Amino acid sequence: MSEEDVTIVKTTTWSAGPGCHGNCGVLAHVRDGKVIKVEGDPEHPWNQGRVCPRLLAMPQYMYHPDRLQFPQKRVGKRGENKWERISWDEAYDLIEKRMNEIKAEHGPESMVFLQGTGRDIGGWISMLAYAYGSPNWVFGLSGISCYTPRLMVMWLTQGDFCVGDAAQWHTKRYDDPDYKIPESITMWGQNLPASCPDGFFSHWYVDLMKKGSELVVIDPRCTWLASRAKIWLQIRPGTDGALALAYLNVIINEKLYDEGYVQKWTNAHHLVRVDGVKPLLLRESDLRAGGSASNFVVWDQTADAPAVWLSDQQAYDRENVAPAFDDEYDVLLTDGTRVNCKTVWRMFRERVAPYTPEKAEEITWAPARDIAAAARMYAKSKPAILHWGLPIDTIQTTVPTAQAINHLWCLTGNLDNPGGNVIARYPNSVVTYPYNSGGGVMSLSPEMHAKRIGTWKYPALRDFRAWAHPDIMLEQVFSEDPYPVKGMWIQTANPLACTGLDPAKWLAAMEKLDFTVCVDLFMTPTAMMADLVLPAATFLEKDSLKGWWVPLQAIKKVVTVGECKSDIEINMEMARRFNPEFPWKKPQEMFDTILKNADAGMTYQELCDKTWVLPEKGHPSAPYFRYEKGLLREDGKPGFKTPSGKIELFSSWLEKWELDPLPFYEEPPYSPVSTPDLYKEYPLILTTGRRSVASYHSEHRQVPWLREIDPDAILEIHPQTARELDICHGETVWIENQFGKCKRVAAVTPAIHPKVVMAPHGWWMPEQEGSSPHLFGIWDVNINQLIPMDHHGASGLGCLAKSILCKVYKMEGK
Amino acid sequence: MSENGILVDYTYCTGCSACEVACKQEYGRKAGAVGGVKVMELMHELPGGKLDITYYPVFTKVCSLCAPRVKKGLKPACVIHCMANVLTYGPAEELASISFKKRKSVLWKGGE
Ligand code: SF4
Ligand code: SF4
Ligand code: SF4
């Protein structure tokens, strides 16, 4: 066949395929309706032609002999691997019938909608849940421990989300005249290049290294990046909070913070009453009858009296207020009592005071000298990027840890500045969620909202995002309290091999449910247990759009494989069946509405013609310094989109949720310090979740070009530890703790700390027997058997995936 | 016509394996069979205890320097996809002079 028969289509990625959250520009080479090759698009500013091995393996992924290609219905027992091929119409009819039965008998809330990591799915699965009438949209990782905690902390601290600025907002990238190369990059818990799928393009940071950015790497493992860093802090997994507090301690004690910035933009001056059990922000309503609880109070040194900060006006209630910064006062309240109040800055300073670098060394195992040097390097670099990874989410104290780290860029003014941490907003304000839980034609009633699982226990869930709580949901399958969970729609998720901690509990839940649907591209262990399996499309087989964070771009359908359909088409068809008022017939119509509602100035077809669009300078979704220009708040005043309009070092949201409003550190619940007796029996710290270039989560294990790069489910163990345990490289060993055990191939490497072992997650063996009870070998290799559910911070967020105890021993003889 | 080659600036090779899979895809090479390039890892302890990790993309005898692509005016598949931009294709003599200025690099000219 000649070259002329090949058409090249310009498109962009967003799962399924490379599996990532990324935005790579792609050239798909198509011949006879088949993708024969995939290349990076050199003209796309995101990747400039470069792409990862998972993208380059797309043809093997798409045309894999195991790829699901038509709907199938279970005919044997659950998990028996006996299926009957059915048509899409039969599948839709069956689902409609069964889900309507559940609705009629138990109410729509008894059906839950489960997704995995949030790629091209959130908008479409929530759309289906709400069209059906259920508030229970769930992400299955215990404690919603993936980005949600960090997002929540960023939102409550500065009202917006921030990411490292690698010039991704500019067409000319690093050459844009507004951009500055960061003097330093602090890489907190992420292993580039393997973590490209976690967000953004990993090798931007390599570009910046070449342009002179110095590195600090915080990682329990010596990665390539760590070996290239000026300072590498090899911390004990799960102690990031203590390290962040020590950074703050050094920065405050050595006055390395930007005082002008802190005074101008944070709530450092606001008074906190410390007379009660919990410190509380002083409000105007405490001072004056009829005063507003949304207004805060400072001590005006000019008048030597309190003054009120009017949050809605972003001004004091009088002229020439000189607010005290680091002090305490007795303040007379409206009820005649006098209470001791401290400024936020003083409270904050006192909170971080105990965390000297020496104290942090005791906790984290990283040398005090290096901790202090790293903190200085971060604070003195202008500008500096702080890039953080998933380990901040997958620990029990995720919220206070994320808060302490977030405060670092707020204290140093590395916020929305070129080459710092910039505010990331939906590009051109295009939000690819057709419905949120509160709006649109499919809005749920307040009574139905109140049934969202877990909101009764964790108030943070009510105010931030629309997730139901995964651990409470799973428990509710068994307890049926306060109402039964009877059905599960599972899409882009593989809880039995990946997102589910304590996979036996997830299996028992799937067995107990009345009805389960799994939408996936391959027969996974989870799909094997479902009643109905629907074949989903890769990104080259669907039309979609993406706006997270930039650019705004189109994902174009290039080919069709078998009878596979996109998640959007599937969910739209079901949404139409469940809700007669559902307004669209085709995805493109919905995309047009989404673009129109955002005033994006283009139709979906026009977006497809452009492929990608960056917001113009001056748009609220384009950097820099938007808080100075009044581009962040709805009222157009300078400041932030927080309750006080300030960066909230002491958080009014956390106070409202009855959580500690200041960052703090707490030991992981199973650790040498918390459980010294257990530590004698389980003398190693087990950490999980490190990334591989060859796979993302539980995907890609069946793709030959990728599997050959990373063939085994391994356990990384230090040579000294391996020697003591008489373990050789390549030998299969047991890992065990009080919760369970699994088998792994020992990978003996000096990259890991002698007291820590790392077990990558998401393993299953697609080449092994799939039927139950084997389920593709998950009971051998799934590390989540050692990690329980239900271990969160007081916020309801966080889990134990990064830090728990275990022992490792040889297979034979035990 | 002067000889061409690939210059590897291995200071920044991250071991991402994109070059390996790019070559496999381009030439439909089987998994398990040798490809045009293989990335090797060297991890060793430096005096003082610091670990050094360096990746070296090593070109094999199977590598044709992408003759079929070059004929069409395209750059080699591994070169355009390299995530760290550490591979440069061009006239070997030019590359040699660039290499001379770098601390760490390897020049590959292919052939026997
Ligand atoms: S993982 Fe990274 S390189 Fe691969 S497609 Fe996604 S953004 Fe691009
Ligand atoms: S130059 Fe071409 S043939 Fe050689 S390794 Fe690179 S992709 Fe393979
Ligand atoms: S693609 Fe480039 S950075 Fe990645 S392993 Fe190959 S040579 Fe190294």
Side-chain angles (χ1 to χ4, degrees):
Chain A
M1 210 158 290
S2 75
E3 297 283 316
E4 290 81 72
D5 302 321
V6 178
T7 329
I8 298 178
V9 186
K10 215 182 204 2
T11 181
T12 64
T13 58
W14 200 17
S15 78
C20 62
H21 300 267
N23 276 316
C24 273
V26 165
L27 301 175
H29 296 236
V30 186
R31 190 167 60 199
D32 284 345
K34 214 177 153 186
V35 171
I36 53 160
K37 183 161 77 177
V38 182
E39 298 202 312
D41 179 359
E43 287 170 13
H44 197 297
W46 177 272
N47 55 316
Q48 296 141 328
R50 307 173 274 178
V51 285
C52 63
R54 295 170 309 285
L55 195 276
L56 292 163
M58 275 308 288
Q60 262 192 354
Y61 183 115
M62 293 170 75
Y63 302 107
H64 195 288
D66 294 348
R67 178 93 192 266
L68 293 171
Q69 300 214 18
F70 40 80
Q72 30 190 343
K73 177 176 88 170
R74 171 171 70 84
V75 286
K77 286 205 238 38
R78 278 204 177 130
E80 212 184 354
N81 202 13
K82 292 205 175 124
W83 305 94
E84 180 188 308
R85 176 176 177 170
I86 55 174
S87 70
W88 275 103
D89 281 336
E90 285 171 296
Y92 289 142
D93 290 347
L94 183 69
I95 296 166
E96 187 182 354
K97 177 172 167 286
R98 297 300 309 274
M99 282 172 61
N100 277 334
E101 282 165 8
I102 288 174
K103 190 190 284 185
E105 206 175 322
H106 308 281
E109 66 275 18
S110 292
M111 187 77 208
V112 301
F113 296 79
L114 183 82
Q115 69 166 79
T117 182
R119 293 149 313 167
D120 195 9
I121 187 60
W124 328 120
I125 192 169
S126 55
M127 167 184 88
L128 173 58
Y130 302 148
Y132 172 76
S134 170
N136 288 321
W137 168 35
V138 188
F139 164 61
L141 181 58
S142 175
I144 324 179
S145 306
C146 181
Y147 217 21
T148 292
R150 280 175 292 158
L151 289 173
M152 185 179 93
V153 164
M154 291 192 281
W155 170 78
L156 61 83
T157 306
Q158 66 259 309
D160 267 289
F161 311 137
C162 302
V163 302
D165 179 19
Q168 60 267 47
W169 275 266
H170 312 304
T171 315
K172 288 198 276 179
R173 297 296 303 270
Y174 313 111
D175 295 332
D176 188 283
D178 288 343
Y179 185 67
K180 280 206 184 99
I181 304 293
E183 272 182 35
S184 79
I185 299 168
T186 299
M187 188 60 55
W188 200 311
Q190 200 168 76
N191 172 28
L192 307 171
S195 54
C196 198
D198 284 270
F200 325 128
F201 190 80
S202 56
H203 285 64
W204 293 341
Y205 291 106
V206 179
D207 300 346
L208 291 172
M209 284 164 72
K210 291 184 191 170
K211 291 177 189 293
S213 302
E214 294 276 16
L215 281 181
V216 172
V217 172
I218 298 160
D219 202 315
R221 299 163 63 240
C222 184
T223 60
W224 174 81
L225 212 66
S227 89
R228 293 288 185 281
K230 191 141 196 195
I231 303 171
W232 166 43
L233 301 174
Q234 185 174 31
I235 63 166
R236 174 162 66 98
T239 62
D240 307 70
L243 179 64
L245 290 168
Y247 260 66
L248 291 166
N249 177 297
V250 171
I251 290 171
I252 292 174
N253 285 338
E254 300 184 9
K255 293 221 178 315
L256 300 174
Y257 56 94
D258 182 338
E259 189 173 327
Y261 189 90
V262 171
Q263 296 240 26
K264 184 158 185 199
W265 297 110
T266 75
N267 69 346
H269 303 115
H270 292 185
L271 293 175
V272 179
R273 50 188 294 188
V274 290
D275 55 317
V277 187
K278 284 184 175 176
L280 295 169
L281 282 160
L282 194 65
R283 318 257 173 170
E284 188 191 18
S285 48
D286 295 320
L287 283 193
R288 303 172 184 157
S292 161
S294 315
N295 293 335
F296 300 90
V297 181
V298 300
W299 189 268
D300 176 13
Q301 298 173 108
T302 318
D304 202 22
V308 173
W309 172 254
L310 305 167
S311 300
D312 57 350
Q313 294 178 35
Q314 290 297 291
Y316 291 108
D317 60 346
R318 58 172 183 265
E319 300 283 300
N320 300 323
V321 171
F325 181 51
D326 185 359
D327 220 328
E328 55 190 281
Y329 299 92
D330 284 335
V331 179
L332 182 64
L333 304 187
T334 164
D335 62 6
T337 55
R338 248 174 213 287
V339 294
N340 185 234
C341 294
K342 297 181 180 180
T343 61
V344 161
W345 185 255
R346 175 154 294 188
M347 298 283 298
F348 178 52
R349 203 167 53 73
E350 288 175 356
R351 178 60 64 89
V352 305
Y355 289 91
T356 59
E358 291 70 29
K359 166 100 177 161
E361 170 172 340
E362 260 171 55
I363 299 172
T364 65
W365 301 346
R369 195 171 8 101
D370 293 351
I371 295 173
R376 286 182 200 122
M377 185 165 148
Y378 174 69
K380 288 182 182 168
S381 313
K382 304 283 174 208
I385 286 181
L386 197 159
H387 181 84
W388 52 3
L390 196 79
I392 312 302
D393 300 320
T394 42
I395 53 176
Q396 193 169 359
T397 47
T398 174
V399 169
T401 300
Q403 197 191 11
I405 297 174
N406 189 143
H407 283 6
L408 287 168
W409 64 69
C410 296
L411 257 53
T412 54
N414 277 305
L415 175 55
D416 216 29
N417 58 328
N421 282 50
V422 294
I423 286 174
R425 292 189 146 187
Y426 297 106
N428 293 339
S429 311
V430 177
V431 185
T432 55
Y433 285 60
Y435 294 101
N436 56 48
S437 52
V441 289
M442 298 181 298
S443 67
L444 303 173
S445 66
E447 298 78 59
M448 193 45 79
H449 271 303
K451 289 184 177 172
R452 174 149 60 91
I453 294 173
T455 48
W456 49 79
K457 186 164 178 197
Y458 298 119
L461 300 191
R462 284 200 289 269
D463 293 319
F464 185 72
R465 301 185 115 192
W467 295 122
H469 196 272
D471 304 65
I472 301 178
M473 180 281 291
L474 192 64
E475 192 54 43
Q476 203 169 317
V477 172
F478 304 101
S479 70
E480 309 206 342
D481 178 37
Y483 57 80
V485 171
K486 289 289 178 188
M488 197 181 277
W489 174 280
I490 304 166
Q491 195 166 21
T492 69
N494 187 0
L496 296 189
C498 192
T499 26
L501 303 184
D502 191 358
K505 187 171 180 180
W506 282 89
L507 177 67
M510 283 191 77
E511 281 169 334
K512 182 169 186 292
L513 291 168
D514 287 354
F515 183 57
T516 51
V517 180
C518 188
V519 188
D520 212 313
L521 293 97
F522 290 92
M523 184 59 78
T524 66
T526 303
M528 183 62 78
M529 293 305 302
D531 297 326
L532 205 76
V533 177
L534 304 179
T538 68
F539 79 93
L540 292 168
E541 302 154 42
K542 71 173 170 189
D543 287 315
S544 187
L545 80 173
K546 183 178 184 205
W548 190 88
W549 302 105
V550 275
L552 170 64
Q553 49 192 23
I555 295 147
K556 304 173 203 168
K557 183 171 170 134
V558 177
V559 294
T560 304
V561 173
E563 291 181 12
C564 298
K565 283 186 194 288
S566 79
D567 297 296
I568 307 171
E569 290 172 285
I570 297 168
N571 292 15
M572 190 171 255
E573 172 63 25
M574 290 317 304
R576 283 161 49 76
R577 285 170 178 241
F578 290 125
N579 190 319
E581 284 161 44
F582 189 84
W584 306 291
K585 289 197 183 69
K586 282 186 171 153
Q588 289 79 352
E589 290 170 16
M590 177 169 69
F591 303 154
D592 280 337
T593 311
I594 287 173
L595 290 167
K596 191 157 164 251
N597 290 347
D599 264 336
M602 68 190 99
T603 61
Y604 181 65
Q605 187 52 52
E606 284 161 347
L607 178 62
C608 286
D609 295 342
K610 295 184 170 119
T611 307
W612 55 269
V613 180
L614 284 165
E616 301 216 351
K617 290 188 183 182
H619 190 274
S621 63
Y624 297 102
F625 300 116
R626 278 161 282 184
Y627 54 90
E628 288 178 354
K629 300 173 186 156
L631 288 170
L632 298 179
R633 294 170 53 84
E634 256 151 42
D635 59 17
K637 293 193 191 328
F640 295 88
K641 226 177 55 190
T642 55
S644 62
K646 300 283 193 183
I647 296 167
E648 298 201 346
L649 299 177
F650 184 106
S651 168
S652 61
W653 276 114
L654 291 174
E655 181 187 288
K656 180 181 172 217
W657 300 329
E658 298 188 3
L659 300 170
D660 192 332
L662 287 170
F664 62 92
Y665 172 69
E666 225 169 52
E667 265 293 306
Y670 305 103
S671 86
V673 182
S674 310
T675 52
D677 287 341
L678 260 186
Y679 186 53
K680 280 183 206 138
E681 195 179 346
Y682 302 114
L684 292 167
I685 293 171
L686 169 64
T687 185
T688 72
R690 78 109 162 100
R691 306 301 195 230
S692 160
V693 297
S695 59
Y696 190 47
H697 295 312
S698 58
E699 293 166 61
H700 305 113
R701 299 303 190 292
Q702 59 284 88
V703 180
W705 286 332
L706 299 174
R707 186 69 182 275
E708 70 171 332
I709 296 170
D710 209 351
D712 298 315
I714 58 158
L715 176 76
E716 290 177 346
I717 185 166
H718 192 273
Q720 186 187 316
T721 316
R723 216 165 22 243
E724 282 163 17
L725 296 169
D726 190 24
I727 286 168
C728 300
H729 187 72
E731 167 179 350
T732 303
V733 296
W734 283 111
I735 320 167
E736 185 180 326
N737 66 10
Q738 71 271 38
F739 300 106
K741 61 180 188 172
C742 84
K743 283 186 231 171
R744 286 294 174 105
V745 177
V748 178
T749 168
I752 191 97
H753 192 283
K755 291 180 184 162
V756 178
V757 288
M758 161 59 85
H761 68 299
W763 271 96
W764 56 293
M765 301 296 184
E767 67 278 13
Q768 292 184 11
E769 176 60 45
S771 64
S772 174
H774 311 285
L775 297 176
F776 301 104
I778 53 169
W779 309 117
D780 283 339
V781 292
N782 189 344
I783 192 67
N784 292 347
Q785 294 172 99
L786 284 78
I787 312 175
M789 301 278 288
D790 300 307
H791 285 69
H792 324 296
S795 57
L797 305 182
C799 70
L800 299 186
K802 278 290 165 202
S803 191
I804 197 163
L805 299 174
C806 75
K807 65 179 174 186
V808 174
Y809 54 92
K810 289 174 85 71
M811 289 285 290
E812 88 284 312
K814 298 263 165 130
Chain B
M1 198 182 102
S2 72
E3 251 188 312
N4 283 328
I6 290 177
L7 182 69
V8 185
D9 177 0
Y10 62 84
T11 312
Y12 291 105
C13 170
T14 62
C16 76
S17 291
C19 51
E20 294 174 337
V21 181
C23 184
K24 298 234 155 154
Q25 184 192 216
E26 184 71 28
Y27 298 104
R29 303 189 205 277
K30 284 210 163 53
V34 63
V37 58
K38 174 98 187 125
V39 182
M40 311 300 282
E41 181 186 71
L42 181 67
M43 191 185 294
H44 60 131
E45 210 173 278
L46 301 173
K50 194 176 185 279
L51 269 188
D52 183 74
I53 302 174
T54 302
Y55 293 100
Y56 302 89
V58 177
F59 292 85
T60 71
K61 284 195 177 176
V62 174
C63 169
S64 66
L65 277 172
C66 270
R69 284 180 66 98
V70 170
K71 230 186 277 164
K72 287 184 234 158
L74 302 169
K75 282 187 192 167
C78 56
V79 171
I80 58 164
H81 290 117
C82 171
M83 289 188 79
N85 262 336
V86 301
L87 305 178
T88 315
Y89 177 80
E93 273 180 36
E94 264 175 45
L95 296 179
S97 66
I98 301 174
S99 173
F100 196 70
K101 290 185 208 128
K102 289 192 183 279
R103 295 237 156 250
K104 297 172 183 175
S105 63
V106 173
L107 180 58
W108 161 253
K109 293 204 294 180
E112 286 298 320

